[in-house]
Amino acid sequence: MYRRIYDLRIDNDLKQKDLADYLGCTQVCYSYYETGKRDIPTDILLKLSKLYNTSVDYLLGRTNKKD
């Protein structure tokens, strides 16, 4: 899951700070999401899936289909 949110951020030319601002957290907090040092709350997963127009199952690695 953590690699997926990293790859999606890079593919969309976004910085960690951009995502942190969007999610309402600090850059350090978002960095912890990407590295797996902090579990990603459900509300954050929902916001990320909306931003990237993909399913939560894709973010979680339960499927390889983005939609």
Side-chain angles (χ1 to χ4, degrees):
M1 163 175 57
Y2 309 109
R3 181 66 189 197
R4 289 230 166 139
I5 65 170
Y6 169 82
D7 289 341
L8 285 166
R9 179 177 61 79
I10 296 300
D11 290 347
N12 286 277
D13 296 321
L14 297 168
K15 296 182 181 347
Q16 285 185 345
K17 178 72 171 131
D18 299 328
L19 270 290
D21 290 344
Y22 173 75
L23 297 171
C25 64
T26 66
Q27 183 272 323
V28 171
C29 176
Y30 182 78
S31 173
Y32 286 173
Y33 293 154
E34 280 192 2
T35 59
K37 291 181 180 178
R38 178 178 272 181
D39 287 335
I40 304 173
T42 303
D43 63 317
I44 298 296
L45 282 172
L46 291 170
K47 287 180 181 180
L48 290 171
S49 70
K50 183 177 179 181
L51 174 68
Y52 294 127
N53 196 29
T54 191
S55 69
V56 171
D57 281 343
Y58 178 77
L59 294 177
L60 294 173
R62 296 183 58 180
T63 183
N64 290 323
K65 293 174 66 177
K66 286 187 177 183
D67 51 3

